[in-house]
């Protein structure tokens, strides 16, 4: 399917209302409130509240009226690459399938203070003069989002000289850096992973404990052997037995390799607002939209009455004509926005019902192995809409079930052939693969070749490269790195 660039999209002469609907469709519930508030602020003809004058017949025929007024049909939009959107993260293939390689994205609501703000606050508790504080601020400013300083000390010294006219040397910078490395979170401002782990170990409550001492020796003296899991070399070098080695390794792997935490440097509280709520009452499913997806909006009665009054008056006055035009534009924009919100609700529900019908077995039991292979094209054909529409619904949307909250992307997957000639979801294969690794003998972990043979024995026709790909997606290390003592 040919992709469209921006000029091609514009050449299709989409109205502002059509573009508005496309954008509203992909807005997650968490952001819809803000979008509605924005529209309320810029359009005085739009108000919160239920339109009591709206007739039931208008509600029943809403969808037909909306399509007739807009003169466009979802099936005919075919905006496959609206503003270079690659279907919201799905990499589509010519047969309507997509690659499941990408991780499911959750859209969290986040709040909190930045890591740098917290570190600057802790800097204030140190007894430093103004010069030392400025050096400390320069060091904190060099800390990346994962908590590390990757700039050379010499580069930081040069920055201080050029930007703040502070002449210093490596000894002074290192001294202030060591004090910052005592800040929380433990391991902050390290230059390497090895230094990060050592900082955390040295801050243990009982640093003289034998296990802590062994852990420090391993990180300090045998770090290369540790990363390669050459345990026998470590034992020989440190002269420790199996139990001592095991205790020390367990302590090390529980340390935090990224003390900065999040990728954007914020200390966050995260939660997901589901777009759909699924309930199962005596085997009968009911899907409802999160109430935040259904804001009550109406056209301002005062604006409508104002327009009626102006429309019936003398149109010869230029200022009056401009006023009538302005009021009409605001009224039309309010109606369009209300209609687009309702069309969004209908499209969301229509798509979710189709997914429910397709994956009914999963929703009864919550068993991942019950998922059927399903691609965007399957749902698009079922609801008679364009693939791009289904993608926009699936992207950044989630559903709350009795088994937990799932992103809609979770239910889409490619198929794997079995000996019986049937196709099963790759999620089923991944689930079986994960179980095999969980149950393996950790002293002799299964190689990829062995995993392929076991999967083939279970009837899954799968190649070694596919097993390796699924293993990486499940974040399962290679057999050598899964080996335990």
């Amino acid at each position: 399917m040919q992709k469209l660039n921006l000029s091609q999209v514009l050449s299709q002469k989409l109205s502002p209302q059509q573009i508005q609907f496309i954008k509203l469709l992909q807005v997650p519930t968490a952001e819809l409130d803000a979008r509605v508030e924005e529209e309320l602020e810029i359009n005085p003809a739009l108000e919160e509240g239920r339109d009591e004058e709206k007739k039931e017949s208008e509600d029943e025929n809403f969808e037909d009226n909306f399509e007739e007024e807009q003169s466009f049909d979802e099936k005919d939009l075919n905006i496959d690459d609206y503003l270079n959107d690659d279907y919201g993260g799905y990499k589509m293939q010519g047969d309507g399938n997509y690659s499941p390689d990408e991780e499911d994205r959750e859209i969290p609501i986040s709040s909190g203070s930045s890591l740098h703000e917290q570190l600057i606050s802790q800097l204030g508790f140190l007894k430093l003069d103004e010069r030392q504080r400025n050096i400390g601020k320069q060091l904190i400013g060099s800390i990346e989002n994962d908590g590390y300083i990757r700039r050379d000390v010499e580069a930081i010294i040069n920055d201080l000289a050029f930007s703040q006219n502070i002449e210093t040397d490596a000894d002074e910078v290192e001294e202030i850096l060591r004090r910052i490395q005592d800040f929380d979170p433990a391991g902050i401002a390290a230059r390497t992973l090895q230094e990060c782990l050592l900082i955390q170990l040295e801050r243990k409550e009982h640093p003289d404990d034998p296990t802590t001492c062994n852990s420090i020796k391993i990180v300090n003296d045998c770090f290369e052997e540790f990363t390669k899991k050459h345990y026998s070399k470590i034992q020989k070098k440190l002269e420790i037995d199996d139990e001592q080695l095991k205790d020390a390794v367990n302590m090390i792997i529980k340390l935090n390799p990224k003390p900065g935490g999040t990728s954007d440097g914020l200390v966050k509280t995260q939660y997901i607002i589901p777009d759909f709520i699924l309930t199962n009452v005596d085997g009968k499913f009911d899907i409802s939209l999160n109430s935040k997806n259904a804001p009550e909006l109406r056209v301002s009665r005062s604006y409508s009455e104002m327009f009626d009054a102006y429309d019936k008056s003398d149109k010869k006055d230029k200022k009056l004509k401009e006023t009538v035009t302005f009021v009409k534009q605001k009224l039309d924009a309010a109606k369009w926005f209300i209609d687009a919100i309702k069309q969004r609700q209908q499209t969301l529900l229509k798509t979710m019902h189709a997914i429910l019908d397709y994956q009914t077995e999963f929703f009864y039991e919550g068993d991942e192995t019950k998922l059927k292979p399903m691609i965007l094209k399957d749902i698009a054909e079922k609801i008679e809409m364009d693939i791009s529409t289904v993608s926009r619904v699936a992207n950044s949307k989630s559903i709350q079930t009795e088994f937990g909250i799932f992103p809609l992307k979770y239910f889409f997957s490619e198929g794997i052939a079995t000996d019986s000639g049937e196709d099963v979801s790759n999620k089923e294969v991944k689930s079986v693969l994960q179980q095999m690794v969980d149950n393996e003998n950790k002293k002799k972990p299964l190689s990829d070749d062995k995993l392929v043979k076991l999967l083939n024995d279970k009837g899954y026709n799968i190649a070694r490269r596919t097993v390796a790909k699924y293993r990486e997606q499940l974040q399962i290390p290679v057999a050598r790195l899964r080996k335990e003592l």
Side-chain angles (χ1 to χ4, degrees):
M1 188 176 291
Q2 185 180 6
K3 290 193 173 184
L4 305 178
N5 57 33
L6 179 57
S7 62
Q8 289 173 310
V9 170
L10 295 177
S11 70
Q12 292 199 10
K13 297 181 180 179
L14 290 179
S15 71
Q17 291 80 14
Q18 292 169 335
I19 295 175
Q20 185 179 63
F21 173 72
I22 290 171
K23 290 182 177 180
L24 275 175
L25 193 60
Q26 59 195 22
V27 170
T29 300
E31 299 175 14
L32 186 61
D33 274 351
R35 180 67 187 87
V36 172
E37 285 297 325
E38 179 186 342
E39 195 69 22
L40 286 167
E41 286 180 10
I42 64 176
N43 190 351
L46 184 67
E47 294 180 344
E48 288 185 283
R50 181 173 297 177
D51 188 353
E52 297 176 355
E53 296 181 357
K54 200 165 188 66
K55 298 178 183 179
E56 291 184 9
S57 59
E58 291 176 339
D59 289 332
E60 293 171 0
N61 297 323
F62 164 76
E63 188 171 353
D64 294 336
N65 294 339
F66 182 80
E67 290 180 358
E68 181 179 348
E69 291 175 11
Q70 296 229 118
S71 300
F72 83 99
D73 190 321
E74 281 299 313
K75 291 180 289 185
D76 298 329
L77 275 179
N78 199 25
I79 310 301
D80 300 335
D81 193 19
Y82 175 64
L83 297 181
N84 292 323
D85 180 5
D86 66 341
Y87 291 0
Y90 294 101
K91 294 180 179 177
M92 307 301 294
Q93 299 173 3
D95 60 355
N97 208 337
Y98 69 95
S99 169
D101 294 355
E102 299 187 35
E103 296 179 354
D104 293 336
R105 286 194 308 114
E106 295 179 349
I107 304 299
I109 303 296
S110 62
S111 62
S113 59
S114 73
L115 173 65
H116 284 197
E117 288 170 347
Q118 293 187 7
L119 295 174
I120 291 293
S121 176
Q122 294 177 70
L123 184 69
F125 290 102
L126 297 181
K127 292 182 179 180
L128 302 174
D129 58 31
E130 184 178 356
R131 168 194 170 83
Q132 291 171 324
R133 269 197 306 275
N134 287 332
I135 294 174
K137 288 179 180 178
Q138 187 73 33
L139 286 166
I140 290 173
S142 301
I143 295 175
E144 299 182 10
N145 291 331
D146 57 3
Y148 288 83
I149 290 181
R150 293 188 172 86
R151 301 201 69 211
D152 292 337
V153 170
E154 288 301 323
I156 294 173
I157 291 172
N158 291 335
D159 287 344
L160 285 164
F162 287 111
S163 65
Q164 300 192 46
N165 198 29
I166 294 176
E167 294 291 336
T168 184
D169 56 29
D171 289 340
E172 185 178 20
V173 172
E174 290 275 3
E175 174 59 29
I176 296 173
L177 175 60
R178 280 193 289 272
R179 300 184 72 176
I180 291 173
Q181 288 176 343
D182 286 333
F183 291 176
D184 289 325
I188 201 70
R191 272 76 60 88
T192 63
L193 173 60
Q194 184 179 18
E195 185 179 37
C196 177
L197 299 179
L198 280 172
I199 291 170
Q200 294 177 62
L201 287 169
E202 289 167 355
R203 289 178 61 176
K204 286 289 184 182
E205 188 175 353
H206 302 290
D208 296 329
D209 175 78
T211 300
T212 304
C213 290
N214 286 331
S215 299
I216 291 174
K217 288 178 183 177
I218 290 173
V219 175
N220 199 42
D221 303 329
C222 310
F223 191 67
E224 185 177 353
E225 292 88 341
F226 171 74
T227 58
K228 295 180 178 179
K229 289 197 171 186
H230 292 161
Y231 297 127
S232 58
K233 292 182 180 180
I234 295 174
Q235 284 184 281
K236 185 177 181 180
K237 189 172 183 179
L238 300 183
E239 298 181 347
I240 55 178
D241 59 31
D242 289 351
E243 195 64 31
Q244 290 172 316
L245 177 64
K246 186 174 182 180
D247 290 343
V249 170
N250 283 336
M251 177 176 283
I252 295 169
I253 62 177
K254 289 177 182 176
L255 301 174
N256 184 3
K258 292 186 178 181
T262 61
S263 60
D264 57 6
L266 288 179
V267 180
K268 293 185 176 181
T269 301
Q270 297 189 340
Y271 56 94
I272 300 171
I273 299 177
D275 301 82
F276 304 94
I277 312 295
L278 179 68
T279 54
N280 182 351
V281 181
D282 298 328
K284 186 176 181 180
F285 289 117
D286 178 64
I287 298 175
S288 61
L289 278 173
N290 186 312
S291 59
K292 292 181 178 291
N293 271 306
E296 291 187 348
L297 300 171
R298 67 188 178 196
V299 176
S300 168
R301 180 180 294 181
S302 60
Y303 253 69
S304 296
E305 291 173 350
M306 188 190 306
F307 175 74
D308 290 340
Y310 286 154
D311 196 40
K312 293 174 183 176
S313 61
D314 187 1
K315 301 284 197 313
K316 293 180 181 179
D317 187 296
K318 184 179 179 182
K319 288 186 177 180
L320 185 59
K321 287 177 68 176
E322 291 176 353
T323 302
V324 171
T325 301
F326 172 80
V327 172
K328 186 176 186 304
Q329 287 175 346
K330 293 300 180 183
L331 287 171
D332 287 344
K335 291 175 183 176
W336 281 117
F337 189 77
I338 291 170
D339 286 348
I341 288 288
K342 290 184 177 179
Q343 182 74 349
R344 176 184 186 274
Q345 295 166 11
Q346 292 178 353
T347 305
L348 289 178
L349 284 170
K350 196 172 185 179
T351 306
M352 190 63 240
H353 276 289
I355 294 173
L356 174 63
D357 290 343
Y358 213 99
Q359 303 289 10
T360 302
E361 284 189 60
F362 169 84
F363 289 108
Y364 274 122
E365 302 178 27
D367 183 353
E368 188 175 44
T369 62
K370 299 293 184 182
L371 285 172
K372 298 178 181 178
M374 183 179 77
I375 58 176
L376 295 176
K377 184 178 179 182
D378 295 328
I379 299 301
E381 290 177 349
K382 194 174 181 69
I383 63 176
E384 297 182 333
M385 288 186 176
D386 192 79
I387 291 176
S388 61
T389 302
V390 177
S391 171
R392 288 184 171 85
V393 174
N395 189 41
S396 303
K397 304 292 189 300
S398 60
I399 182 169
Q400 179 178 308
T401 74
E402 60 183 301
F403 312 108
I405 297 176
F406 296 90
L408 295 197
K409 281 185 179 182
Y410 175 81
F411 306 111
F412 292 85
S413 63
E414 63 184 6
I416 297 291
T418 64
D419 287 343
S420 61
E422 298 178 356
D423 272 354
V424 297
S425 168
N426 67 345
K427 290 185 181 294
E428 176 180 333
V429 180
K430 288 181 183 180
S431 179
V432 174
L433 177 61
Q434 183 70 63
Q435 290 174 18
M436 288 177 174
V437 172
D438 290 343
N439 297 327
E440 71 185 356
N441 180 352
K442 296 303 179 184
K443 292 184 177 181
K444 295 181 179 179
L446 300 169
S447 66
D448 285 355
D449 288 331
K450 184 64 176 176
L451 289 170
V452 169
K453 185 177 185 306
L454 291 173
L455 286 168
N456 289 164
D457 290 344
K458 287 181 175 289
Y460 301 110
N461 296 323
I462 188 168
R464 186 185 183 281
R465 64 179 178 276
T466 307
V467 167
K469 181 178 75 171
Y470 288 174
R471 178 177 51 70
E472 289 171 2
Q473 290 171 3
L474 292 168
Q475 297 184 342
I476 298 172
V478 295
R480 179 173 58 81
L481 296 179
R482 300 200 305 272
K483 186 176 182 180
E484 295 180 2
L485 297 172

